[in-house]
Amino acid sequence: MLRYVLTRLTLLALGLIVASALVFATLRVLPGDVAQLVAGTEGSPAQVAAIRESLGLDRPALAQYLEWIGGVLRGDLGTSLLSGRSVASELAAKAQVTVPLGVLSLLIALAIAVPLGVLSAIRRGRADGTAIGVVAQLLAAVPVVWAGMMLVVVFAIALRWFPAQGFPRGGWADPGAALQSLALPALTIGVVEGALLLRFVRSATLLATGEDHVRTAAAKGLTRTQALLRHGLPSVGLSIITVLGLQIAGIVVGAVVIEQVFNLPGIGRMLVDDVGNRDLVKVQGDLLVLTGFVLVIGFVVDIVHRLIDPRQRESA
């Protein structure tokens, strides 16, 4: 097992290195000039050249990359080219919105997918089971932006239960107001991701009903539902853990979009603004943190799955 963990850690490190190189290279081919943005429309060529030199943008790309990645290894993501503030501190401030949004979205997705997915499999061929599957198919095809707009129309405009946009100025000083602001965005992501996960849970549950130990339990007198609930759910849980890495990646992508729709001051909205402003150092830090988070989650899910599943422990 130790050897497996070390191998996965090595692959994780290599993945982060490749991701950092791709992020750095991709941003360098985007149109626009940061120095020109800083100088303004009235900046002379000499002023633009001086700004480029002061920002280190006139040096070779490899030298810029090595300096940046060296700082990352020391825990320094750099300084914003436009605001002059630490990228790490700005990310930490925005994470106070994005992280709770992601956690709430994941909890909602699981609350929708697990019970309804199992019920849909148990009631396969019946009206209610078929209806759950059809609704899940429809919701999975709904764009997250459209889903958010519909929820705003119903719950914010018609019923006035939640605010349509924004986040309290005081942040989490008022937890109730903060949670109200995140309710609709989290529900939007949770419903769409929950519909995707529901189909996977249904498939995993159907597979579990065909396993030998479940059929044996049914042959000994238990009903199919009782045999599944007592002996099949552990394998369903393992399948859910396996797919959680992909679900969390989907939630991260959804947060980038939803923060724009609901005007939330999170990492996703900051990333879009930074790309528009050509703040390369800050965009690099934003993307590297998001990519690293997804890779680390995948690593953790893989290790947890191997620890829980006795078959994989034995093979390790």
PDB file of all heavy atoms in Angstrom, residues 168-207:
ATOM      1  N   PRO A 168     -23.416  39.341   1.023  1.00  0.00           N
ATOM      2  CA  PRO A 168     -23.353  40.401   2.042  1.00  0.00           C
ATOM      3  C   PRO A 168     -21.987  41.074   2.105  1.00  0.00           C
ATOM      4  O   PRO A 168     -20.946  40.403   1.996  1.00  0.00           O
ATOM      5  CB  PRO A 168     -23.662  39.653   3.343  1.00  0.00           C
ATOM      6  CG  PRO A 168     -24.398  38.437   2.928  1.00  0.00           C
ATOM      7  CD  PRO A 168     -23.849  38.051   1.592  1.00  0.00           C
ATOM      8  N   ARG A 169     -21.989  42.380   2.274  1.00  0.00           N
ATOM      9  CA  ARG A 169     -20.722  43.119   2.379  1.00  0.00           C
ATOM     10  C   ARG A 169     -19.888  42.647   3.554  1.00  0.00           C
ATOM     11  O   ARG A 169     -18.668  42.617   3.495  1.00  0.00           O
ATOM     12  CB  ARG A 169     -21.003  44.629   2.520  1.00  0.00           C
ATOM     13  CG  ARG A 169     -21.519  45.284   1.249  1.00  0.00           C
ATOM     14  CD  ARG A 169     -21.748  46.759   1.469  1.00  0.00           C
ATOM     15  NE  ARG A 169     -22.171  47.424   0.248  1.00  0.00           N
ATOM     16  CZ  ARG A 169     -21.329  47.953  -0.635  1.00  0.00           C
ATOM     17  NH1 ARG A 169     -20.029  47.893  -0.413  1.00  0.00           N
ATOM     18  NH2 ARG A 169     -21.789  48.542  -1.719  1.00  0.00           N
ATOM     19  N   GLY A 170     -20.549  42.269   4.627  1.00  0.00           N
ATOM     20  CA  GLY A 170     -19.826  41.809   5.810  1.00  0.00           C
ATOM     21  C   GLY A 170     -19.398  40.355   5.732  1.00  0.00           C
ATOM     22  O   GLY A 170     -18.821  39.839   6.691  1.00  0.00           O
ATOM     23  N   GLY A 171     -19.684  39.698   4.611  1.00  0.00           N
ATOM     24  CA  GLY A 171     -19.290  38.303   4.455  1.00  0.00           C
ATOM     25  C   GLY A 171     -20.005  37.404   5.440  1.00  0.00           C
ATOM     26  O   GLY A 171     -21.222  37.465   5.607  1.00  0.00           O
ATOM     27  N   TRP A 172     -19.222  36.589   6.141  1.00  0.00           N
ATOM     28  CA  TRP A 172     -19.785  35.616   7.070  1.00  0.00           C
ATOM     29  C   TRP A 172     -20.002  36.180   8.470  1.00  0.00           C
ATOM     30  O   TRP A 172     -20.262  35.419   9.412  1.00  0.00           O
ATOM     31  CB  TRP A 172     -18.886  34.380   7.133  1.00  0.00           C
ATOM     32  CG  TRP A 172     -18.965  33.588   5.869  1.00  0.00           C
ATOM     33  CD1 TRP A 172     -18.128  33.661   4.807  1.00  0.00           C
ATOM     34  CD2 TRP A 172     -19.966  32.632   5.530  1.00  0.00           C
ATOM     35  NE1 TRP A 172     -18.532  32.805   3.807  1.00  0.00           N
ATOM     36  CE2 TRP A 172     -19.647  32.147   4.226  1.00  0.00           C
ATOM     37  CE3 TRP A 172     -21.080  32.119   6.178  1.00  0.00           C
ATOM     38  CZ2 TRP A 172     -20.426  31.196   3.576  1.00  0.00           C
ATOM     39  CZ3 TRP A 172     -21.859  31.164   5.528  1.00  0.00           C
ATOM     40  CH2 TRP A 172     -21.525  30.714   4.256  1.00  0.00           C
ATOM     41  N   ALA A 173     -19.935  37.499   8.615  1.00  0.00           N
ATOM     42  CA  ALA A 173     -20.285  38.111   9.891  1.00  0.00           C
ATOM     43  C   ALA A 173     -21.761  37.854  10.210  1.00  0.00           C
ATOM     44  O   ALA A 173     -22.156  37.772  11.374  1.00  0.00           O
ATOM     45  CB  ALA A 173     -20.004  39.615   9.854  1.00  0.00           C
ATOM     46  N   ASP A 174     -22.571  37.754   9.145  1.00  0.00           N
ATOM     47  CA  ASP A 174     -23.975  37.392   9.296  1.00  0.00           C
ATOM     48  C   ASP A 174     -24.177  36.056   8.565  1.00  0.00           C
ATOM     49  O   ASP A 174     -24.484  36.038   7.365  1.00  0.00           O
ATOM     50  CB  ASP A 174     -24.878  38.476   8.692  1.00  0.00           C
ATOM     51  CG  ASP A 174     -26.360  38.202   8.934  1.00  0.00           C
ATOM     52  OD1 ASP A 174     -26.685  37.097   9.415  1.00  0.00           O
ATOM     53  OD2 ASP A 174     -27.186  39.088   8.627  1.00  0.00           O
ATOM     54  N   PRO A 175     -24.000  34.919   9.250  1.00  0.00           N
ATOM     55  CA  PRO A 175     -24.073  33.612   8.579  1.00  0.00           C
ATOM     56  C   PRO A 175     -25.404  33.359   7.881  1.00  0.00           C
ATOM     57  O   PRO A 175     -25.446  32.751   6.817  1.00  0.00           O
ATOM     58  CB  PRO A 175     -23.852  32.613   9.718  1.00  0.00           C
ATOM     59  CG  PRO A 175     -23.142  33.395  10.781  1.00  0.00           C
ATOM     60  CD  PRO A 175     -23.681  34.781  10.678  1.00  0.00           C
ATOM     61  N   GLY A 176     -26.502  33.833   8.482  1.00  0.00           N
ATOM     62  CA  GLY A 176     -27.806  33.608   7.877  1.00  0.00           C
ATOM     63  C   GLY A 176     -27.927  34.266   6.516  1.00  0.00           C
ATOM     64  O   GLY A 176     -28.387  33.657   5.549  1.00  0.00           O
ATOM     65  N   ALA A 177     -27.512  35.539   6.440  1.00  0.00           N
ATOM     66  CA  ALA A 177     -27.587  36.255   5.169  1.00  0.00           C
ATOM     67  C   ALA A 177     -26.643  35.644   4.144  1.00  0.00           C
ATOM     68  O   ALA A 177     -26.965  35.560   2.949  1.00  0.00           O
ATOM     69  CB  ALA A 177     -27.256  37.733   5.385  1.00  0.00           C
ATOM     70  N   ALA A 178     -25.463  35.213   4.597  1.00  0.00           N
ATOM     71  CA  ALA A 178     -24.504  34.599   3.675  1.00  0.00           C
ATOM     72  C   ALA A 178     -25.061  33.301   3.100  1.00  0.00           C
ATOM     73  O   ALA A 178     -24.948  33.048   1.891  1.00  0.00           O
ATOM     74  CB  ALA A 178     -23.182  34.346   4.393  1.00  0.00           C
ATOM     75  N   LEU A 179     -25.657  32.472   3.952  1.00  0.00           N
ATOM     76  CA  LEU A 179     -26.221  31.209   3.471  1.00  0.00           C
ATOM     77  C   LEU A 179     -27.402  31.460   2.530  1.00  0.00           C
ATOM     78  O   LEU A 179     -27.585  30.724   1.546  1.00  0.00           O
ATOM     79  CB  LEU A 179     -26.675  30.353   4.655  1.00  0.00           C
ATOM     80  CG  LEU A 179     -25.547  29.701   5.470  1.00  0.00           C
ATOM     81  CD1 LEU A 179     -26.117  29.017   6.705  1.00  0.00           C
ATOM     82  CD2 LEU A 179     -24.781  28.696   4.622  1.00  0.00           C
ATOM     83  N   GLN A 180     -28.191  32.481   2.808  1.00  0.00           N
ATOM     84  CA  GLN A 180     -29.290  32.815   1.901  1.00  0.00           C
ATOM     85  C   GLN A 180     -28.768  33.206   0.526  1.00  0.00           C
ATOM     86  O   GLN A 180     -29.347  32.838  -0.497  1.00  0.00           O
ATOM     87  CB  GLN A 180     -30.124  33.958   2.477  1.00  0.00           C
ATOM     88  CG  GLN A 180     -31.206  33.521   3.448  1.00  0.00           C
ATOM     89  CD  GLN A 180     -32.198  34.623   3.722  1.00  0.00           C
ATOM     90  OE1 GLN A 180     -31.835  35.797   3.796  1.00  0.00           O
ATOM     91  NE2 GLN A 180     -33.454  34.267   3.873  1.00  0.00           N
ATOM     92  N   SER A 181     -27.662  33.937   0.494  1.00  0.00           N
ATOM     93  CA  SER A 181     -27.085  34.356  -0.781  1.00  0.00           C
ATOM     94  C   SER A 181     -26.539  33.178  -1.577  1.00  0.00           C
ATOM     95  O   SER A 181     -26.520  33.206  -2.804  1.00  0.00           O
ATOM     96  CB  SER A 181     -25.963  35.369  -0.536  1.00  0.00           C
ATOM     97  OG  SER A 181     -26.449  36.532   0.096  1.00  0.00           O
ATOM     98  N   LEU A 182     -26.078  32.139  -0.866  1.00  0.00           N
ATOM     99  CA  LEU A 182     -25.508  30.978  -1.545  1.00  0.00           C
ATOM    100  C   LEU A 182     -26.543  29.898  -1.847  1.00  0.00           C
ATOM    101  O   LEU A 182     -26.227  28.927  -2.552  1.00  0.00           O
ATOM    102  CB  LEU A 182     -24.394  30.367  -0.684  1.00  0.00           C
ATOM    103  CG  LEU A 182     -23.142  31.213  -0.467  1.00  0.00           C
ATOM    104  CD1 LEU A 182     -22.150  30.468   0.413  1.00  0.00           C
ATOM    105  CD2 LEU A 182     -22.493  31.586  -1.793  1.00  0.00           C
ATOM    106  N   ALA A 183     -27.766  30.044  -1.324  1.00  0.00           N
ATOM    107  CA  ALA A 183     -28.766  28.983  -1.457  1.00  0.00           C
ATOM    108  C   ALA A 183     -29.096  28.695  -2.918  1.00  0.00           C
ATOM    109  O   ALA A 183     -29.013  27.544  -3.373  1.00  0.00           O
ATOM    110  CB  ALA A 183     -30.027  29.362  -0.683  1.00  0.00           C
ATOM    111  N   LEU A 184     -29.473  29.717  -3.684  1.00  0.00           N
ATOM    112  CA  LEU A 184     -29.846  29.497  -5.083  1.00  0.00           C
ATOM    113  C   LEU A 184     -28.662  29.060  -5.944  1.00  0.00           C
ATOM    114  O   LEU A 184     -28.803  28.143  -6.763  1.00  0.00           O
ATOM    115  CB  LEU A 184     -30.498  30.751  -5.663  1.00  0.00           C
ATOM    116  CG  LEU A 184     -31.940  31.027  -5.222  1.00  0.00           C
ATOM    117  CD1 LEU A 184     -32.491  32.241  -5.942  1.00  0.00           C
ATOM    118  CD2 LEU A 184     -32.821  29.817  -5.492  1.00  0.00           C
ATOM    119  N   PRO A 185     -27.479  29.698  -5.809  1.00  0.00           N
ATOM    120  CA  PRO A 185     -26.340  29.199  -6.592  1.00  0.00           C
ATOM    121  C   PRO A 185     -26.006  27.738  -6.283  1.00  0.00           C
ATOM    122  O   PRO A 185     -25.746  26.949  -7.202  1.00  0.00           O
ATOM    123  CB  PRO A 185     -25.193  30.130  -6.169  1.00  0.00           C
ATOM    124  CG  PRO A 185     -25.856  31.371  -5.691  1.00  0.00           C
ATOM    125  CD  PRO A 185     -27.149  30.929  -5.090  1.00  0.00           C
ATOM    126  N   ALA A 186     -26.003  27.371  -4.990  1.00  0.00           N
ATOM    127  CA  ALA A 186     -25.692  25.984  -4.628  1.00  0.00           C
ATOM    128  C   ALA A 186     -26.771  25.037  -5.134  1.00  0.00           C
ATOM    129  O   ALA A 186     -26.468  23.923  -5.599  1.00  0.00           O
ATOM    130  CB  ALA A 186     -25.551  25.864  -3.112  1.00  0.00           C
ATOM    131  N   LEU A 187     -28.032  25.452  -5.070  1.00  0.00           N
ATOM    132  CA  LEU A 187     -29.118  24.607  -5.567  1.00  0.00           C
ATOM    133  C   LEU A 187     -29.001  24.417  -7.076  1.00  0.00           C
ATOM    134  O   LEU A 187     -29.261  23.318  -7.589  1.00  0.00           O
ATOM    135  CB  LEU A 187     -30.466  25.247  -5.214  1.00  0.00           C
ATOM    136  CG  LEU A 187     -31.720  24.431  -5.557  1.00  0.00           C
ATOM    137  CD1 LEU A 187     -31.711  23.113  -4.803  1.00  0.00           C
ATOM    138  CD2 LEU A 187     -32.978  25.232  -5.234  1.00  0.00           C
ATOM    139  N   THR A 188     -28.600  25.464  -7.783  1.00  0.00           N
ATOM    140  CA  THR A 188     -28.441  25.365  -9.239  1.00  0.00           C
ATOM    141  C   THR A 188     -27.405  24.310  -9.603  1.00  0.00           C
ATOM    142  O   THR A 188     -27.664  23.411 -10.416  1.00  0.00           O
ATOM    143  CB  THR A 188     -28.025  26.727  -9.816  1.00  0.00           C
ATOM    144  OG1 THR A 188     -29.007  27.707  -9.486  1.00  0.00           O
ATOM    145  CG2 THR A 188     -27.879  26.639 -11.321  1.00  0.00           C
ATOM    146  N   ILE A 189     -26.215  24.433  -9.005  1.00  0.00           N
ATOM    147  CA  ILE A 189     -25.153  23.462  -9.303  1.00  0.00           C
ATOM    148  C   ILE A 189     -25.528  22.084  -8.795  1.00  0.00           C
ATOM    149  O   ILE A 189     -25.326  21.069  -9.471  1.00  0.00           O
ATOM    150  CB  ILE A 189     -23.821  23.918  -8.687  1.00  0.00           C
ATOM    151  CG1 ILE A 189     -23.417  25.291  -9.229  1.00  0.00           C
ATOM    152  CG2 ILE A 189     -22.723  22.898  -8.969  1.00  0.00           C
ATOM    153  CD1 ILE A 189     -22.193  25.878  -8.555  1.00  0.00           C
ATOM    154  N   GLY A 190     -26.095  22.026  -7.580  1.00  0.00           N
ATOM    155  CA  GLY A 190     -26.428  20.745  -6.974  1.00  0.00           C
ATOM    156  C   GLY A 190     -27.461  19.962  -7.766  1.00  0.00           C
ATOM    157  O   GLY A 190     -27.349  18.738  -7.901  1.00  0.00           O
ATOM    158  N   VAL A 191     -28.462  20.649  -8.309  1.00  0.00           N
ATOM    159  CA  VAL A 191     -29.503  19.959  -9.080  1.00  0.00           C
ATOM    160  C   VAL A 191     -28.925  19.375 -10.365  1.00  0.00           C
ATOM    161  O   VAL A 191     -29.181  18.212 -10.716  1.00  0.00           O
ATOM    162  CB  VAL A 191     -30.662  20.927  -9.395  1.00  0.00           C
ATOM    163  CG1 VAL A 191     -31.578  20.340 -10.454  1.00  0.00           C
ATOM    164  CG2 VAL A 191     -31.452  21.221  -8.126  1.00  0.00           C
ATOM    165  N   VAL A 192     -28.147  20.176 -11.091  1.00  0.00           N
ATOM    166  CA  VAL A 192     -27.580  19.697 -12.359  1.00  0.00           C
ATOM    167  C   VAL A 192     -26.589  18.560 -12.111  1.00  0.00           C
ATOM    168  O   VAL A 192     -26.646  17.504 -12.767  1.00  0.00           O
ATOM    169  CB  VAL A 192     -26.910  20.856 -13.117  1.00  0.00           C
ATOM    170  CG1 VAL A 192     -26.216  20.342 -14.369  1.00  0.00           C
ATOM    171  CG2 VAL A 192     -27.946  21.915 -13.487  1.00  0.00           C
ATOM    172  N   GLU A 193     -25.658  18.756 -11.174  1.00  0.00           N
ATOM    173  CA  GLU A 193     -24.685  17.704 -10.881  1.00  0.00           C
ATOM    174  C   GLU A 193     -25.355  16.497 -10.228  1.00  0.00           C
ATOM    175  O   GLU A 193     -24.943  15.345 -10.454  1.00  0.00           O
ATOM    176  CB  GLU A 193     -23.586  18.247  -9.959  1.00  0.00           C
ATOM    177  CG  GLU A 193     -22.696  19.286 -10.601  1.00  0.00           C
ATOM    178  CD  GLU A 193     -21.892  18.732 -11.763  1.00  0.00           C
ATOM    179  OE1 GLU A 193     -21.507  17.545 -11.706  1.00  0.00           O
ATOM    180  OE2 GLU A 193     -21.661  19.473 -12.733  1.00  0.00           O
ATOM    181  N   GLY A 194     -26.386  16.741  -9.429  1.00  0.00           N
ATOM    182  CA  GLY A 194     -27.109  15.636  -8.814  1.00  0.00           C
ATOM    183  C   GLY A 194     -27.810  14.767  -9.848  1.00  0.00           C
ATOM    184  O   GLY A 194     -27.875  13.538  -9.694  1.00  0.00           O
ATOM    185  N   ALA A 195     -28.339  15.391 -10.913  1.00  0.00           N
ATOM    186  CA  ALA A 195     -28.981  14.616 -11.976  1.00  0.00           C
ATOM    187  C   ALA A 195     -27.969  13.729 -12.692  1.00  0.00           C
ATOM    188  O   ALA A 195     -28.269  12.578 -13.034  1.00  0.00           O
ATOM    189  CB  ALA A 195     -29.652  15.562 -12.966  1.00  0.00           C
ATOM    190  N   LEU A 196     -26.770  14.258 -12.916  1.00  0.00           N
ATOM    191  CA  LEU A 196     -25.723  13.442 -13.538  1.00  0.00           C
ATOM    192  C   LEU A 196     -25.315  12.284 -12.634  1.00  0.00           C
ATOM    193  O   LEU A 196     -25.165  11.141 -13.090  1.00  0.00           O
ATOM    194  CB  LEU A 196     -24.506  14.319 -13.847  1.00  0.00           C
ATOM    195  CG  LEU A 196     -24.698  15.411 -14.909  1.00  0.00           C
ATOM    196  CD1 LEU A 196     -23.488  16.345 -14.921  1.00  0.00           C
ATOM    197  CD2 LEU A 196     -24.896  14.793 -16.279  1.00  0.00           C
ATOM    198  N   LEU A 197     -25.143  12.569 -11.342  1.00  0.00           N
ATOM    199  CA  LEU A 197     -24.736  11.537 -10.400  1.00  0.00           C
ATOM    200  C   LEU A 197     -25.844  10.510 -10.191  1.00  0.00           C
ATOM    201  O   LEU A 197     -25.562   9.321  -9.973  1.00  0.00           O
ATOM    202  CB  LEU A 197     -24.348  12.183  -9.065  1.00  0.00           C
ATOM    203  CG  LEU A 197     -23.824  11.257  -7.966  1.00  0.00           C
ATOM    204  CD1 LEU A 197     -22.581  10.510  -8.435  1.00  0.00           C
ATOM    205  CD2 LEU A 197     -23.511  12.058  -6.708  1.00  0.00           C
ATOM    206  N   LEU A 198     -27.098  10.951 -10.268  1.00  0.00           N
ATOM    207  CA  LEU A 198     -28.226  10.041 -10.055  1.00  0.00           C
ATOM    208  C   LEU A 198     -28.194   8.897 -11.069  1.00  0.00           C
ATOM    209  O   LEU A 198     -28.434   7.730 -10.711  1.00  0.00           O
ATOM    210  CB  LEU A 198     -29.538  10.814 -10.172  1.00  0.00           C
ATOM    211  CG  LEU A 198     -30.839  10.076  -9.821  1.00  0.00           C
ATOM    212  CD1 LEU A 198     -31.882  11.063  -9.320  1.00  0.00           C
ATOM    213  CD2 LEU A 198     -31.417   9.312 -11.021  1.00  0.00           C
ATOM    214  N   ARG A 199     -27.901   9.206 -12.314  1.00  0.00           N
ATOM    215  CA  ARG A 199     -27.853   8.151 -13.327  1.00  0.00           C
ATOM    216  C   ARG A 199     -26.748   7.148 -13.027  1.00  0.00           C
ATOM    217  O   ARG A 199     -26.909   5.943 -13.239  1.00  0.00           O
ATOM    218  CB  ARG A 199     -27.639   8.778 -14.707  1.00  0.00           C
ATOM    219  CG  ARG A 199     -28.791   9.675 -15.159  1.00  0.00           C
ATOM    220  CD  ARG A 199     -28.623  10.135 -16.581  1.00  0.00           C
ATOM    221  NE  ARG A 199     -27.390  10.896 -16.747  1.00  0.00           N
ATOM    222  CZ  ARG A 199     -26.902  11.244 -17.943  1.00  0.00           C
ATOM    223  NH1 ARG A 199     -27.518  10.864 -19.042  1.00  0.00           N
ATOM    224  NH2 ARG A 199     -25.793  11.950 -18.019  1.00  0.00           N
ATOM    225  N   PHE A 200     -25.634   7.643 -12.505  1.00  0.00           N
ATOM    226  CA  PHE A 200     -24.542   6.741 -12.153  1.00  0.00           C
ATOM    227  C   PHE A 200     -24.922   5.865 -10.965  1.00  0.00           C
ATOM    228  O   PHE A 200     -24.637   4.662 -10.950  1.00  0.00           O
ATOM    229  CB  PHE A 200     -23.289   7.556 -11.833  1.00  0.00           C
ATOM    230  CG  PHE A 200     -22.082   6.716 -11.539  1.00  0.00           C
ATOM    231  CD1 PHE A 200     -21.269   6.248 -12.556  1.00  0.00           C
ATOM    232  CD2 PHE A 200     -21.770   6.372 -10.237  1.00  0.00           C
ATOM    233  CE1 PHE A 200     -20.166   5.460 -12.288  1.00  0.00           C
ATOM    234  CE2 PHE A 200     -20.666   5.585  -9.946  1.00  0.00           C
ATOM    235  CZ  PHE A 200     -19.857   5.125 -10.982  1.00  0.00           C
ATOM    236  N   VAL A 201     -25.570   6.460  -9.963  1.00  0.00           N
ATOM    237  CA  VAL A 201     -26.004   5.693  -8.794  1.00  0.00           C
ATOM    238  C   VAL A 201     -27.012   4.624  -9.219  1.00  0.00           C
ATOM    239  O   VAL A 201     -26.962   3.477  -8.738  1.00  0.00           O
ATOM    240  CB  VAL A 201     -26.620   6.626  -7.729  1.00  0.00           C
ATOM    241  CG1 VAL A 201     -27.236   5.824  -6.594  1.00  0.00           C
ATOM    242  CG2 VAL A 201     -25.561   7.572  -7.182  1.00  0.00           C
ATOM    243  N   ARG A 202     -27.904   4.972 -10.098  1.00  0.00           N
ATOM    244  CA  ARG A 202     -28.889   3.999 -10.578  1.00  0.00           C
ATOM    245  C   ARG A 202     -28.187   2.817 -11.261  1.00  0.00           C
ATOM    246  O   ARG A 202     -28.516   1.657 -11.004  1.00  0.00           O
ATOM    247  CB  ARG A 202     -29.856   4.666 -11.544  1.00  0.00           C
ATOM    248  CG  ARG A 202     -30.956   3.743 -12.070  1.00  0.00           C
ATOM    249  CD  ARG A 202     -31.877   4.496 -13.019  1.00  0.00           C
ATOM    250  NE  ARG A 202     -33.008   3.649 -13.413  1.00  0.00           N
ATOM    251  CZ  ARG A 202     -32.976   2.768 -14.412  1.00  0.00           C
ATOM    252  NH1 ARG A 202     -31.847   2.614 -15.113  1.00  0.00           N
ATOM    253  NH2 ARG A 202     -34.039   2.045 -14.697  1.00  0.00           N
ATOM    254  N   SER A 203     -27.229   3.120 -12.133  1.00  0.00           N
ATOM    255  CA  SER A 203     -26.509   2.048 -12.823  1.00  0.00           C
ATOM    256  C   SER A 203     -25.735   1.178 -11.837  1.00  0.00           C
ATOM    257  O   SER A 203     -25.722  -0.053 -11.953  1.00  0.00           O
ATOM    258  CB  SER A 203     -25.553   2.644 -13.858  1.00  0.00           C
ATOM    259  OG  SER A 203     -26.252   3.389 -14.832  1.00  0.00           O
ATOM    260  N   ALA A 204     -25.072   1.819 -10.854  1.00  0.00           N
ATOM    261  CA  ALA A 204     -24.310   1.054  -9.862  1.00  0.00           C
ATOM    262  C   ALA A 204     -25.230   0.181  -9.016  1.00  0.00           C
ATOM    263  O   ALA A 204     -24.884  -0.953  -8.654  1.00  0.00           O
ATOM    264  CB  ALA A 204     -23.527   2.013  -8.969  1.00  0.00           C
ATOM    265  N   THR A 205     -26.417   0.687  -8.714  1.00  0.00           N
ATOM    266  CA  THR A 205     -27.365  -0.091  -7.922  1.00  0.00           C
ATOM    267  C   THR A 205     -27.872  -1.292  -8.712  1.00  0.00           C
ATOM    268  O   THR A 205     -28.015  -2.399  -8.170  1.00  0.00           O
ATOM    269  CB  THR A 205     -28.548   0.790  -7.491  1.00  0.00           C
ATOM    270  OG1 THR A 205     -28.059   1.941  -6.786  1.00  0.00           O
ATOM    271  CG2 THR A 205     -29.494   0.031  -6.576  1.00  0.00           C
ATOM    272  N   LEU A 206     -28.147  -1.098  -9.991  1.00  0.00           N
ATOM    273  CA  LEU A 206     -28.597  -2.206 -10.826  1.00  0.00           C
ATOM    274  C   LEU A 206     -27.512  -3.278 -10.943  1.00  0.00           C
ATOM    275  O   LEU A 206     -27.807  -4.487 -10.936  1.00  0.00           O
ATOM    276  CB  LEU A 206     -28.988  -1.696 -12.214  1.00  0.00           C
ATOM    277  CG  LEU A 206     -30.266  -0.835 -12.274  1.00  0.00           C
ATOM    278  CD1 LEU A 206     -30.477  -0.291 -13.676  1.00  0.00           C
ATOM    279  CD2 LEU A 206     -31.471  -1.656 -11.834  1.00  0.00           C
ATOM    280  N   LEU A 207     -26.265  -2.849 -11.042  1.00  0.00           N
ATOM    281  CA  LEU A 207     -25.169  -3.815 -11.083  1.00  0.00           C
ATOM    282  C   LEU A 207     -25.056  -4.574  -9.763  1.00  0.00           C
ATOM    283  O   LEU A 207     -24.777  -5.784  -9.741  1.00  0.00           O
ATOM    284  CB  LEU A 207     -23.852  -3.103 -11.393  1.00  0.00           C
ATOM    285  CG  LEU A 207     -23.655  -2.604 -12.829  1.00  0.00           C
ATOM    286  CD1 LEU A 207     -22.361  -1.808 -12.945  1.00  0.00           C
ATOM    287  CD2 LEU A 207     -23.635  -3.773 -13.807  1.00  0.00           C
TER     288      LEU A 207
END
